[in-house]
Amino acid sequence: MTQSRSNVAGTKVAFIGTGVMGASMAGHLMHAGCKLAVYNRTPAKAQPLVERGARWAGTPGEAAADADVVITMVGYPADVEAVYLGKDGIIAAASAGTLLIDMTTSSPQLAVRIAEAADAAGLDALDAPVSGGDIGARNATLTIMVGGSETAFARAEALLSVMGKSVILQGGPGAGQHTKMSNQVAVAGSMFASIEALAYARAAGLDPASVLQSIGGGAAASWSLENLAPRVLKGDFNPGFYVKHFVKDLRIALEAARAAGLELPALTLAEKLYARLSEAGGSELGTQALWLLYASEQERMSAGVEASATAED
């Protein structure tokens, strides 16, 4: 990490999207000595970075105009498309040679389009979605999955290493997003397993916290079981990763799977239940709130989710 920081000090970075994860990621870059410009649709979320010395920009294009590197961490593919390909967007504003890194989980096909538009404008572009949630963002231990050229990756690797512990080039444009879709398929499965293990333990009259101590270090161990199941037991459904964004990811994965002629029943069920949770008022909660589809009416109401949400078909 020290070597990476010495390599990036003085780099002018425009960071677009300073939400739950982006704020921490941008903060690590500032700590490493980068000269940061920031933009966020809700300015208050970028204010702590501005108070630390980041320059506020009024638009994504304004942030990008003087940058060596532009990093985006926004919400949805439509947001990615707007900030990159819009009339006054990043590609239109950035100077030739600028490196563009989209760290949003987005569409692989859109990543290819952005890479092509960037290349036509004399820019380098990478898709580099991440895994690890708010904890990984805060601790700079994100897993970063990268798609793009080897040349662009070589330019980006030191910066990305400031924010993550695993930084791997997976292939050409779109490969990072495809890798993240594979990750989300696995996350959906482990999230289901963790929640249903707790639900079974409770139904059997056991103490779920004690059960978690027993199974958390054995063959059942997973990131979800270790990091999110304890939040469930505390009634903590605050977002490390929003339900609304997970629904978006699952739908992108389903679309890509169908395009490849692949049937994924577990992924299909995950999208169905997370969509139900979102529609019941849980869109702003964390993914561990899947528990609320198995929980009592009292638990659902205390979490602000409509009591009509159930796990029954």
Side-chain angles (χ1 to χ4, degrees), residues 16-17 23 40 52 73 102-103 132 136 138 145 160 170 189 220 238 246 252 260 299:
I16 315 299
N40 194 74
R52 288 175 55 186
M73 187 67 169
D102 180 33
M103 304 188 77
R138 285 198 305 270
M145 299 153 262
L160 296 176
Q170 296 290 343
N238 291 319
F246 198 46
I252 293 172
E299 286 172 305

Side-chain angles (χ1 to χ4, degrees), residues 32 51 53 72 89 131 207 217 268:
E51 291 174 356
T72 50
S131 180
D207 174 13
T268 301

Side-chain angles (χ1 to χ4, degrees), residues 85-112:
L85 301 176
K87 180 180 177 182
D88 299 314
I90 291 167
I91 290 178
S95 301
T98 303
L99 174 62
L100 314 179
I101 308 173
D102 180 33
M103 304 188 77
T104 315
T105 298
S106 183
S107 159
Q109 292 78 16
L110 178 57
V112 172

Side-chain angles (χ1 to χ4, degrees), residues 250-265:
L250 297 179
R251 288 173 176 170
I252 293 172
L254 277 172
E255 182 180 353
R258 288 166 183 153
L262 182 63
E263 183 179 353
L264 298 176

Side-chain angles (χ1 to χ4, degrees), residues 66-155:
D66 189 41
D68 301 317
V69 180
V70 179
I71 297 175
T72 50
M73 187 67 169
V74 295
Y76 296 89
D79 301 318
V80 174
E81 184 170 14
V83 298
Y84 278 100
L85 301 176
K87 180 180 177 182
D88 299 314
I90 291 167
I91 290 178
S95 301
T98 303
L99 174 62
L100 314 179
I101 308 173
D102 180 33
M103 304 188 77
T104 315
T105 298
S106 183
S107 159
Q109 292 78 16
L110 178 57
V112 172
R113 287 176 54 206
I114 289 171
E116 291 173 347
D119 184 64
L123 312 169
D124 284 327
L126 296 171
D127 49 286
V130 305
S131 180
D134 61 330
I135 296 171
R138 285 198 305 270
N139 296 333
T141 56
L142 293 169
T143 295
I144 304 176
M145 299 153 262
V146 188
S149 72
E150 292 184 4
T151 300
F153 179 73
R155 293 180 61 192

Side-chain angles (χ1 to χ4, degrees), residues 286-301:
T287 52
Q288 72 274 18
L290 183 66
W291 168 258
L292 297 171
L293 294 186
Y294 296 78
S296 68
E297 179 176 337
Q298 182 178 1
E299 286 172 305
R300 289 196 294 273
M301 293 298 290

